[in-house]
Every structure is written in structure tokens, then in C-alpha cells.
Amino acid sequence: MNLLSILLSIVFILNILVAIILIFMERRDASATWAWLLILFFVPLAGFLLYLIFGQNLSRKRLFVWKDLHKIGIEHLIHTQIQAIKDNTFPFQNPDTKKHQSLIYMHLINNDAVLTQDNRVNLFTDGKDKFRSLFRDIESAKDHIHLQYYIFRNDNLGKRLIRTLTRKAMEGVEVRVLFDDLGSRKTSKKPFRQLIEAGGHVEEFFPSSFPFINPRLNYRNHRKLGIIDGKIGYVGGFNVGDEYLGLKSQFGYWRDTHLRIIGTAVHALQTRFILDWNQATTRHPIAYSDRYFPVTPPVGEVTMQIVTSGPDSEWEQIKNGYIKMITSAKKSIYIQTPYFVPDASLLDALRIASLSGVDVRMMIPNKPDHMFVYWATYSYIGELLKAGAKIYLYENGFIHAKTIIVDDEISSVGTANIDVRSFRLNFEVNAFMYHQPTTRQLSAIFQSDLGQSRELTMEEYEQRPLKIRFKESVSRLLSPIL
């Protein structure tokens, strides 16, 4: 046998082994399994390499460990809340929240998402407003500043933020910054040098161990968190970069949704940050201290749960929360998402809701930032149009918000898009809110955004050219692994 024959035989054997792993050991979703099998069949050698990079299963790996977690007292609180809901004795401050106790229970039992009822929430839909507020809170910080972003650019906004953080570190405030290695691939630790010299700490999530090779490339930390003194928390869709201020012509105005939270829910954001931070660092782990979880008097009445998900978990907690919200709808479901690449369960939930007479409305961008995902989105929205849902194309720039509003009663805002990547591959965090005034405020924002949008009708959708239909078909075939 010549060398080429030997290599082809090795590739063939490796493909067979990977196929066996996919079918009999990984127990993936069937659509994802078929997508990988097609790649292995049509591009054998490249397919095998792609699988090594993108096909790992992290669900059996314990990535986030914090030996001091028990000191927060969260286990006892979770057990108490679960038992109270089971016994129908939970002290809901707002009787309307009780209607959604099955959703609350699901997040408690599967995600350790404690229910808090003393929060105050400010909504931001404009990047300038969000960062103006964040800078103000950073300037007022007395003890610590914890920031985590998927994208942290070394542009005007990024440099300004680093300068402010450096000044606070020089004042003696503890500063920690965590960014995702892939999302911030154009940013190294070099721009943070002065911050580190001033005593701040900077870490990357899942960095590449070897140049140009990262076996965990497919699993990214998409969370965006900010915690100031353990009392103020931020969560939502804005990253750090000039485009999020609407300063990039490629996107124009950037429409997103972000929350500023004061109340006990901040402790859950803090816990999530510490877990992520301690996974990323080997030199500066965070040990428990009361100052990270200060006791504060009630400041509001917004009831919420902070829910996280990731590929290390058996359950897709945020997706399950979305489905539970959708199936509970009696009147309306309003969704804003930059990408719509659902699995069968979520797509069926939305179709059934629409076919049942629920007013289902979805708003997506009128321009792409990821081409394959954009065309996959277009293929799936046709399914909703057929079921009677209304689809709106946002035309005033780019909409990046991740918002679900049901019956003007409950809502979810966070980092998770409605796509397979957010549900299975990315580490995400969302706030599920059981508070009518906040939800109605989000609903009013949605109605206002309709004035900047155009409805996509079934007639227009069916008239799209063959070239676009081909792009949709290819993208949809790859959608389980996009």
C-alpha cells in the first residue's frame, strides 16, 4: 500500500469511530447528529478536524467549582423555597406571581435559581444610556467592581472603560475583568497592562492553549455581567465596543436591552461571576467574603430569578424557561431576538400558541451580522408565518435584544438568543421577571419599536427568489451546529 492509501484508510477508520461516538455514545439531538454525519461523509478529513474542535460534549464535565459556595447559604434557601412551593405556603408578595409558580419551581429545582422579591430594575435600550449609568456606578464604587463581557474591544469605549477601572484600582477598589477569548479575539491583555499594574485582575475565558488551535473553540461564555460592590448588577445584551453606542456604519443604531438591578438578585449575579472567574483563573481565585454579598434593605418589588445555562449542564434551562413561558400564554407573546434558529420543541411551542389564537409577534433584524445564521433565521420564520404569527423586520439599525414578553405579566431579558448555539453551546444568563409593571414597560418598548419596523407578510415571503431559498436551505441544514 502506498502512503496515500494508508492515509485514506486512517481517515476512513477515524470517521467510522467518530460516527459511532456520535450515534451510540454522545446521545445528541438527532438533527445535530445528522448534520455531523453529513459533514463527516462529504468532507472526511476536514470533517474529522472540525469535530475535534467543534464537537466536544461538555455536559459530563464539572467546569465551575467554588469550594466556598455553601457559605452563601444558598442550598438551605433553595430547599426552603422548593418545599414551600410544594406545600403551597410560599409567601408570594404579589398574588399574580403565584400563577407562575410552576415556572418558578422548574428554575429552582433544575437551576438553583433562587426567587427574590425585593428588586428595583432600570431598563436600558440605548447603549449610551447604559454605559453612562455603568460608568457612574463604577465611579461610585467603594469596594469592588466585577465586569464580564463576551466582547471587550480595545476601541474608544473600551479604552475609556479601562482608564476608569485603572483609576478605581489605584484608589484601592478591587477590579476584576473577565472576557471571552473568542468573542474578544482582537483584544489581548496588553491594553489592560496599566490596570493590572494598578492592582486589577484580568482573565480570559477558555483561552487557546496552543497558537491557532483551541479545542474548546465552540463553547463560549456569552454572558454580560457587571456587579458593583455586591449591591448593583447589570445583565443584558450590550458588550463593550463602539458599535454598541451606534458608532459603526455597518450596523447603524444599535438597539439592545439591558437591566440595572438593585436588590437581592444581585447576589445571584455575583455568584455567577465568581464561578466563571474561578474557572478562568489559576492565580487569583475569589474566596468567600461577606462584602461580596452585603445585606441591603428592600428597595423594590420586582420578583425575579437569575437563570443560567451552558453546555456543561444536562438541561437547557433557559430554553426550557422560554418554552414554559410560551405554553403558559393566554393572550400574547412578544419576542425580540437577533437570531431565530430554534430546535423542534421551541418551534412547535410557538406554532401551537399561534394556532391556538395567541397573538405571537417576533421582531428580528433587517440586516445580518452572521450570514449563515441570518439565512437560517429566514427559513424558520416561514414556519411561524404559516401558523399565523406576525414577523417584523427592525429597520432602524440593528436589533440585538433578547426579550420575551408574555401576556404583559412575565418577561425574560438576558444574553440568550433563540438559537441552538445559545441553548446548547454558549454559557448564558437571563433574568426571568414576574412583575407586571416591568413587563408592561417592556411591552410598551416593543410597541414603540414597531414604528421602526416593517411587517413581513406571507405573500412577500413566498416571493423570495430561488437564490435566497437555496441559501436558506443550506443554512438550515447546518443550523444544529451553527
Side-chain angles (χ1 to χ4, degrees):
M1 295 179 67
N2 57 35
L3 181 60
L4 179 61
S5 298
I6 294 173
L7 289 175
L8 288 175
S9 299
I10 292 173
V11 170
F12 177 77
I13 293 170
L14 289 174
N15 270 23
I16 294 295
L17 290 174
V18 171
I20 291 172
I21 291 171
L22 277 168
I23 296 171
F24 296 108
M25 298 180 66
E26 292 290 353
R27 296 186 180 182
R28 295 173 178 269
D29 173 78
S31 59
T33 299
W34 278 111
W36 277 114
L37 290 175
L38 286 171
I39 290 174
L40 290 168
F41 177 78
F42 284 111
V43 282
L45 181 58
F48 175 72
L49 295 175
L50 286 170
Y51 181 78
L52 290 181
I53 297 174
F54 296 109
Q56 292 186 76
N57 188 341
L58 300 185
S59 63
R60 289 187 287 272
K61 299 181 181 180
R62 194 179 181 199
L63 297 176
F64 303 97
V65 180
W66 185 26
K67 60 184 178 61
D68 293 339
L69 186 61
H70 67 280
K71 295 182 181 179
I72 305 174
I74 193 171
E75 295 95 339
H76 174 72
L77 183 56
I78 291 168
H79 175 76
T80 301
Q81 291 193 349
I82 289 173
Q83 194 60 47
I85 290 178
K86 283 183 176 180
D87 297 339
N88 202 30
T89 59
F90 192 94
F92 291 108
Q93 294 181 7
N94 188 330
D96 291 331
T97 305
K98 185 178 174 62
K99 294 190 296 184
H100 307 287
Q101 64 179 5
S102 61
L103 173 59
I104 294 167
Y105 179 85
M106 183 183 74
H107 286 322
L108 271 168
I109 202 79
N110 294 323
N111 197 238
D112 294 341
V114 172
L115 185 74
T116 59
Q117 304 184 85
D118 62 345
N119 305 288
R120 187 170 75 218
V121 171
N122 298 109
L123 295 173
F124 298 103
T125 60
D126 180 87
K128 293 184 178 68
D129 294 336
K130 182 262 181 176
F131 281 102
R132 187 179 300 114
S133 176
L134 178 63
F135 274 99
R136 185 167 55 244
D137 288 332
I138 288 173
E139 293 283 8
S140 301
K142 299 294 188 295
D143 186 79
H144 64 273
I145 300 164
H146 292 161
L147 298 182
Q148 176 177 348
Y149 286 97
Y150 173 63
I151 296 173
F152 198 120
R153 299 205 191 282
N154 184 32
D155 54 14
N156 290 331
L157 177 62
K159 289 175 181 176
R160 180 186 165 207
L161 183 54
I162 292 172
R163 287 196 300 269
T164 304
L165 294 172
T166 301
R167 187 167 62 252
K168 296 303 293 186
M170 294 175 66
E171 294 174 4
V173 175
E174 282 189 9
V175 177
R176 295 180 176 91
V177 177
L178 175 63
F179 60 87
D180 184 82
D181 180 68
L182 179 65
S184 306
R185 56 190 174 276
K186 295 182 180 179
T187 302
S188 65
K189 283 190 177 181
K190 185 177 179 181
F192 297 94
R193 181 175 53 82
Q194 290 186 332
L195 171 59
I196 295 171
E197 290 175 352
H201 302 296
V202 180
E203 295 291 349
E204 300 170 80
F205 188 87
F206 276 8
S208 176
S209 302
F210 307 97
F212 309 111
I213 300 175
N214 190 339
R216 297 178 294 186
L217 180 67
N218 206 30
Y219 303 99
R220 310 317 314 173
N221 199 318
H222 197 239
R223 296 167 182 147
K224 297 100 176 168
L225 297 173
I227 300 95
I228 314 297
D229 291 341
K231 299 176 181 179
I232 301 171
Y234 286 83
V235 62
F238 285 108
N239 287 291
V240 177
D242 288 346
E243 66 263 41
Y244 302 97
L245 302 180
L247 300 178
K248 291 291 182 71
S249 58
Q250 176 186 357
F251 299 107
Y253 180 73
W254 191 278
R255 166 66 180 86
D256 220 319
T257 304
H258 218 92
L259 306 179
R260 179 182 185 266
I261 303 169
I262 301 178
T264 311
V266 177
H267 292 180
L269 298 177
Q270 183 81 287
T271 302
R272 182 69 264 168
F273 175 87
I274 293 174
L275 285 166
D276 287 5
W277 176 268
N278 284 354
Q279 192 286 327
T281 187
T282 57
R283 298 167 297 173
H284 307 289
I286 300 175
Y288 175 83
S289 174
D290 289 341
R291 62 193 178 90
Y292 295 132
F293 301 91
V295 178
T296 56
V299 294
E301 56 180 20
V302 178
T303 300
M304 71 167 61
Q305 290 174 291
I306 302 298
V307 179
T308 63
S309 66
D312 60 321
S313 174
E314 179 181 1
W315 307 105
E316 298 169 17
Q317 291 96 333
I318 293 178
K319 185 198 80 171
N320 291 343
Y322 285 174
I323 292 175
K324 185 70 174 174
M325 290 175 66
I326 290 166
T327 56
S328 73
K330 301 293 189 297
K331 296 179 296 183
S332 61
I333 301 167
Y334 297 159
I335 297 174
Q336 290 175 316
T337 178
Y339 321 118
F340 183 64
V341 188
D343 65 2
S345 60
L346 195 141
L347 183 60
D348 281 345
L350 284 169
R351 282 192 297 207
I352 291 169
S354 185
L355 291 169
S356 301
V358 176
D359 181 15
V360 177
R361 303 187 182 199
M362 180 179 297
M363 190 177 297
I364 60 174
N366 193 34
K367 60 175 67 175
D369 68 334
H370 298 292
M371 194 61 68
F372 275 110
V373 182
Y374 178 76
W375 292 119
T377 293
Y378 255 74
S379 82
Y380 282 103
I381 60 176
E383 303 283 334
L384 293 187
L385 285 170
K386 291 177 184 177
K390 294 181 179 180
I391 306 297
Y392 297 91
L393 306 178
Y394 185 78
E395 297 190 313
N396 185 36
F398 186 79
I399 188 163
H400 190 248
K402 304 96 166 51
T403 306
I404 295 185
I405 306 156
V406 170
D407 291 346
D408 281 355
E409 291 185 359
I410 56 175
S411 53
S412 178
V413 172
T415 69
N417 301 306
I418 299 184
D419 60 15
V420 176
R421 171 159 294 280
S422 280
F423 295 153
R424 297 178 190 164
L425 302 176
N426 284 346
F427 299 93
E428 307 281 3
V429 56
N430 272 48
F432 284 77
M433 295 176 285
Y434 314 90
H435 186 245
Q436 286 189 10
T438 300
T439 301
R440 287 172 180 166
Q441 187 179 356
L442 286 166
S443 182
I445 292 170
F446 185 94
Q447 297 293 338
S448 176
D449 288 334
L450 290 178
Q452 306 286 344
S453 306
R454 174 176 64 86
E455 183 175 357
L456 177 66
T457 65
M458 192 67 204
E459 292 74 19
E460 179 185 350
Y461 182 79
E462 290 179 338
Q463 291 172 7
R464 65 201 191 284
L466 183 62
K467 181 174 69 173
I468 292 179
R469 292 172 188 255
F470 176 76
K471 291 178 181 179
E472 290 176 9
S473 298
V474 173
S475 299
R476 182 159 181 158
L477 184 64
L478 297 174
S479 65
I481 57 175
L482 284 178

